[in-house]
Amino acid sequence: MSRMHFQWDWLCLGVLIISSVTAEIENEENRDTDVEVEDFDKQFEDDDVDKDKSSLEVVYQTPKPTGEVYFTETFDGILDGWVLSKTKKEDTDDNIAKYDGRWEVEELKENTVPGDRGLVLKSMAKHHAISAMLTKPFIFDNKPLIVQYEVNFQEGIDCGGAYIKLLSRSDDLNLEYFFDKTPYTIMFGPDKCGEDYKLHFIFRHKNPKTGEYNEKHAKRPDVDLKKFYSDKKTHLYTLVLKPDDTFEMLIDQSVVSKGSLLEDVVPPVNPPKEIEDPNDKKPDDWDERPKIPDPNAVKPDDWDEDEPSEIEDPDAVKPEGWLDDEPEYILDPNAKKPEDWDEEMDGEWEGPQIPNPKCETVPGCGQWVRPMMNNPNYKGKWKPPMIDNPNYQGIWSPQKISNPDYFEDLHPFEMTSVSAIGLELWSMTSDIYFDNFIICSEKEVADRWAADGWGLKKLVASANEPGMFTQLVTAAEDHPWLWVLYILTLALPVGLGVLFCWPAKKIDEDIDLKKADIPKSISKGELEQEGQELEDDKVELEEEKENKEEIVEDERGELEETKRELMKETKQMERKDPPSGTGKGK
C-alpha cells in the first residue's frame, strides 16, 4: 500500500510538469504581464463550443451601440463621412511629402469573419491621412472619455504606427488639410520601429500662463508588447480617461498601464515651484576636492624612481639545441622572379621568405635573448598619499529661486474639447487593418461593442488555432528552454517504470516462491522454525523497501530542485528587453 501511495506521488509530479508545459502554451499572452483582466461578455466564452464548426457557422451582424456615443465606425457599409487629406507634410522632401497613401475597405486576410470589413492601410513608405468628424464633440467635464478600436498587423510591422489622433475642436478645422501639424488633444495607439515596441498615450496640455501647448507622454507600460505586433491577430486597444485625473490603457481588455495625469506623465503637467538660479555662479575659491595630496609627506630616501618595471631574468638559461647561427626565416628556394618583372620600374627583385625548416625541430634559432621579468625593486614615480581635504566644501550647486513660470493645474483632465478623429501615419509595412472605432463615456457600452465585434474575431481565431503539438513546437522555438521540460516530461514515465515496475515484480515473485516452498504437512518445531524464518524475511523485505523509498525520496527532491532552478532561469531570461530605436509617423 505504501509503495502504491509513493508511485501515486510520482504520478502527480508528472502531471504537474505536463500541466506547467500546457499552461505555458495556453497562458503565453498573460505570462509576461501583471495585468488586471476585465470582465468580458460571456456570450463568447462557452468552453464546449466545437471550434471547427464555429468558424463555419459564425453569423456576423454589424455592431450597434447600446448607449450614448460620440463616434462609432464599423466600415461595413460605404466609407461615409471620412475625408482624405489633400495637403502635404511639412519639412519633408517633395517626392514623399504628399499624403497619397492608399486606403481600402476589406475583410481580414486570415481568420475572416464573413461580412465584417475594416479600413486597411495599403501603401508602403507613403504618408497616409484620413479623418472624420465626431457625431458630437466631446467636452472634458464630468464624464469619462473612452476611446476603443481594433488593429491587426496582417503582415507584421517593421517600422510604422497604428495610432489615432483626437483632433482639437476649432472653428477653422478643415479635414481636407489634416496633416502632422494639425492640433490634436490626444494621441493613442501602437507604434513600432526596429525592436522598440510602444503604446502611445500623449495629450497636449495648455499652459494657463502662456497659452502654449506642450505634449505630455504617459510612462511606458512595463509589459512586453512584442506579441501584439507579430502574431497577426486582431487586438483591441482601449484608453480610459477619468474626471479624477487618472487613466488606463488596455489591450484585449487587460490593463497594461495605468496612472495619474499629474504624476505618471513626462514631462510633468505642473512645473517645479523652485528652480536653480541661472545667474548664480560658483565662486573661484570653492573647493570641491574631497581628498588632496598630503602636503607634509616626504619621499623616502630609498625610493628609486629610475628602476625599470621589467628586467632580464638572471636565472634564465639558453635552451639546449638552440641554433644561434641559423636565421628564423630564409629565402624561398623555389621562388622565381615573375617574367614581367621590370627592375628599372619595379626595383631589384627579392624572393619571399619562409620559416627556416631547420628551426622546426629545435627550441629556437637566431640570437638568444634572456626573457624579461618583473623588477622586484620597481616602485615607480613617488606620489604623496591622499588625505581628507580640510577645506572641502562639497559639490557646488546654484541656489534655488522661485520659478517665474510656475503654475498649478490640479485637473489636467479638463483638456481641449475634441471634434474629429484622424489617422495620420507612415509605415514601411502595408495591410494594417483598423476596425470598430467607438468613443463613449460608459464602460458597459464599450464592452458590449467589443463583444459584438472583436469578440467574434477572437472566437474565429481561436477556432482556427493549430493543434497542441504545433503549439508546443512553436512555443519551444520562441523559448528554447521548454525543450528541457519536454524531455523531462517524456523521460518521467520511463523512469517511474524502471524504479517501481521491475523491483515490485521481483519482490512479488520472491514472495510467491517462498510460499510455494512451504510444505503442506510439517511438525510443530519445523513450523516454529519456518515461522521465524518468514518473520526474518519479512523484516528484511521491510528494511529493503524502506531503503528504496529513501533513495527514491532523495531522487524526487533532486528533480523538484532542478525544476525550481529551471523556472528561476526562465523568469530571468524573459525579463531581458533591449529596446532600441524609435519611430513615429506623426
Side-chain angles (χ1 to χ4, degrees):
M1 184 69 180
S2 175
R3 179 173 60 80
M4 291 178 64
H5 177 71
F6 194 60
Q7 287 179 331
W8 178 253
D9 289 343
W10 275 96
L11 182 59
C12 290
L13 177 61
V15 171
L16 285 175
I17 294 180
I18 294 173
S19 299
S20 67
V21 176
T22 305
E24 167 66 26
I25 304 304
E26 293 179 349
N27 300 322
E28 185 180 14
E29 291 188 355
N30 294 326
R31 183 168 52 80
D32 296 331
T33 63
D34 182 15
V35 300
E36 302 172 13
V37 179
E38 301 291 322
D39 291 335
F40 184 68
D41 195 285
K42 301 300 181 184
Q43 176 182 353
F44 301 109
E45 293 186 351
D46 184 359
D47 293 334
D48 297 327
V49 171
D50 183 344
K51 291 184 177 180
D52 291 332
K53 290 179 64 178
S54 67
S55 64
L56 300 176
E57 297 182 358
V58 163
V59 177
Y60 172 74
Q61 292 183 347
T62 299
K64 291 182 172 54
T66 57
E68 182 184 18
V69 296
Y70 299 88
F71 181 80
T72 60
E73 179 59 79
T74 64
F75 301 105
D76 291 338
I78 61 174
L79 197 61
D80 187 30
W82 289 87
V83 179
L84 292 172
S85 176
K86 298 179 180 179
T87 187
K88 293 183 179 181
K89 188 180 179 73
E90 291 186 355
D91 305 322
T92 306
D93 293 340
D94 289 340
N95 57 335
I96 61 171
K98 191 175 181 180
Y99 286 97
D100 56 355
R102 188 164 58 91
W103 300 90
E104 296 288 348
V105 175
E106 301 175 344
E107 292 183 346
L108 282 168
K109 291 184 175 181
E110 299 179 4
N111 300 318
T112 303
V113 178
D116 185 8
R117 302 194 300 170
L119 181 66
V120 182
L121 179 150
K122 300 296 292 183
S123 305
M124 292 176 52
K126 285 184 177 292
H127 292 288
H128 301 71
I130 191 170
S131 56
M133 297 298 295
L134 304 189
T135 306
K136 57 181 178 179
F138 182 87
I139 300 173
F140 293 87
D141 47 21
N142 57 357
K143 291 184 179 181
L145 170 67
I146 300 176
V147 183
Q148 184 171 275
Y149 68 108
E150 302 168 14
V151 176
N152 187 319
F153 296 104
Q154 299 185 96
E155 302 295 335
I157 184 71
D158 294 324
C159 187
Y163 45 79
I164 63 172
K165 292 181 178 180
L166 300 185
L167 306 183
S168 302
R169 184 181 184 184
S170 67
D171 294 335
D172 59 350
L173 178 61
N174 186 340
L175 299 186
E176 289 188 350
Y177 294 94
F178 170 47
F179 71 132
D180 60 315
K181 300 295 178 61
T182 300
Y184 69 91
T185 299
I186 289 174
M187 188 177 107
F188 168 67
D191 187 17
K192 184 248 183 182
C193 203
E195 290 301 312
D196 190 15
Y197 301 87
K198 296 181 180 180
L199 178 60
H200 290 298
F201 165 42
I202 305 172
F203 67 93
R204 294 173 71 244
H205 177 261
K206 184 178 181 180
N207 187 315
K209 296 189 70 172
T210 65
E212 296 179 353
Y213 285 87
N214 302 107
E215 289 185 351
K216 309 296 179 181
H217 297 246
K219 295 180 180 177
R220 296 178 66 130
D222 293 329
V223 301
D224 183 8
L225 301 176
K226 182 177 181 179
K227 54 183 169 292
F228 302 113
Y229 295 80
S230 58
D231 61 6
K232 298 183 181 180
K233 294 181 180 179
T234 302
H235 294 289
L236 184 71
Y237 294 86
T238 309
L239 172 68
V240 180
L241 288 181
K242 300 178 182 179
D244 64 356
D245 302 297
T246 60
F247 69 89
E248 289 182 340
M249 290 189 281
L250 303 91
I251 302 180
D252 297 345
Q253 298 191 319
S254 296
V255 177
V256 297
S257 180
K258 63 180 181 178
S260 166
L261 298 177
L262 288 167
E263 299 174 358
D264 298 302
V265 298
V266 180
V269 168
N270 296 313
K273 289 184 178 181
E274 292 185 328
I275 61 172
E276 294 181 346
D277 185 356
N279 299 317
D280 192 14
K281 296 182 179 180
K282 183 174 71 174
D284 295 337
D285 59 351
W286 189 278
D287 196 339
E288 292 182 334
R289 300 173 299 164
K291 298 279 187 180
I292 59 171
D294 185 357
N296 299 319
V298 178
K299 183 175 72 172
D301 294 336
D302 60 349
W303 192 285
D304 188 352
E305 295 182 347
D306 297 328
E307 283 284 348
S309 60
E310 290 186 333
I311 59 174
E312 290 185 351
D313 185 357
D315 299 325
V317 178
K318 182 170 68 174
E320 185 175 354
W322 188 283
L323 303 179
D324 296 85
D325 298 330
E326 287 290 340
E328 290 186 61
Y329 293 92
I330 61 173
L331 291 174
D332 184 357
N334 299 321
K336 294 182 180 180
K337 182 171 68 173
E339 294 181 359
D340 58 350
W341 186 274
D342 187 341
E343 292 192 355
E344 292 184 359
M345 298 290 296
D346 302 324
E348 183 179 356
W349 181 81
E350 294 181 359
Q353 292 191 332
I354 60 172
N356 190 341
K358 294 182 180 179
C359 301
E360 293 179 357
T361 58
V362 297
C365 293
Q367 183 181 3
W368 180 77
V369 179
R370 293 179 183 274
M372 303 297 287
M373 60 173 285
N374 291 331
N375 185 358
N377 298 321
Y378 174 73
K379 295 183 179 181
K381 185 174 179 61
W382 181 83
K383 295 180 181 179
M386 304 298 285
I387 62 172
D388 291 336
N389 183 0
N391 298 320
Y392 177 63
Q393 296 174 273
I395 303 300
W396 181 86
S397 61
Q399 65 178 349
K400 297 286 188 177
I401 61 172
S402 297
N403 185 357
D405 298 323
Y406 174 73
F407 63 83
E408 188 175 31
D409 181 356
L410 297 178
H411 298 290
F413 172 78
E414 298 173 359
M415 305 177 191
T416 304
S417 302
V418 297
S419 60
I421 182 173
L423 297 166
E424 188 266 315
L425 305 169
W426 163 276
S427 177
M428 293 302 296
T429 308
S430 62
D431 292 318
I432 303 176
Y433 176 96
F434 300 86
D435 201 5
N436 294 329
F437 291 88
I438 186 171
I439 300 175
C440 61
S441 292
E442 300 175 68
K443 191 67 166 62
E444 296 77 11
V445 174
D447 287 345
R448 181 69 255 175
W449 179 267
D452 293 342
W454 173 75
L456 205 58
K457 292 185 179 73
K458 183 180 180 184
L459 181 65
V460 172
S462 297
N464 295 331
E465 283 288 334
M468 178 59 71
F469 179 77
T470 302
Q471 293 186 51
L472 289 172
V473 174
T474 302
E477 290 175 353
D478 294 334
H479 308 287
W481 57 267
L482 282 175
W483 289 114
V484 178
L485 280 181
Y486 298 165
I487 293 172
L488 288 176
T489 303
L490 294 174
L492 188 62
V494 178
L496 290 174
V498 172
L499 289 173
F500 297 104
C501 296
W502 292 351
K505 184 177 180 182
K506 184 178 184 301
I507 292 172
D508 293 340
E509 290 175 351
D510 291 343
I511 294 174
D512 291 339
L513 288 173
K514 289 183 182 293
K515 289 181 179 179
D517 292 340
I518 299 175
K520 293 182 179 179
S521 178
I522 57 177
S523 65
K524 182 178 179 180
E526 292 174 339
L527 181 62
E528 291 177 352
Q529 182 178 358
E530 194 69 35
Q532 183 62 40
E533 291 178 357
L534 286 175
E535 187 66 29
D536 293 341
D537 289 342
K538 181 179 179 182
V539 172
E540 194 174 318
L541 286 173
E542 290 289 342
E543 291 178 353
E544 182 180 352
K545 182 167 68 173
E546 290 177 0
N547 291 336
K548 287 185 177 181
E549 288 180 351
E550 290 177 0
I551 293 172
V552 173
E553 184 67 28
D554 292 341
E555 292 178 350
R556 181 171 64 175
E558 292 177 359
L559 280 174
E560 291 176 348
E561 181 64 23
T562 301
K563 181 180 176 184
R564 284 194 296 269
E565 292 178 358
L566 284 172
M567 292 304 181
K568 183 177 178 182
E569 293 176 1
T570 299
K571 293 178 180 179
Q572 292 176 351
M573 289 171 64
E574 292 171 350
R575 287 172 183 159
K576 296 179 179 178
D577 205 305
S580 63
T582 183
K584 289 197 278 185
K586 292 195 299 175

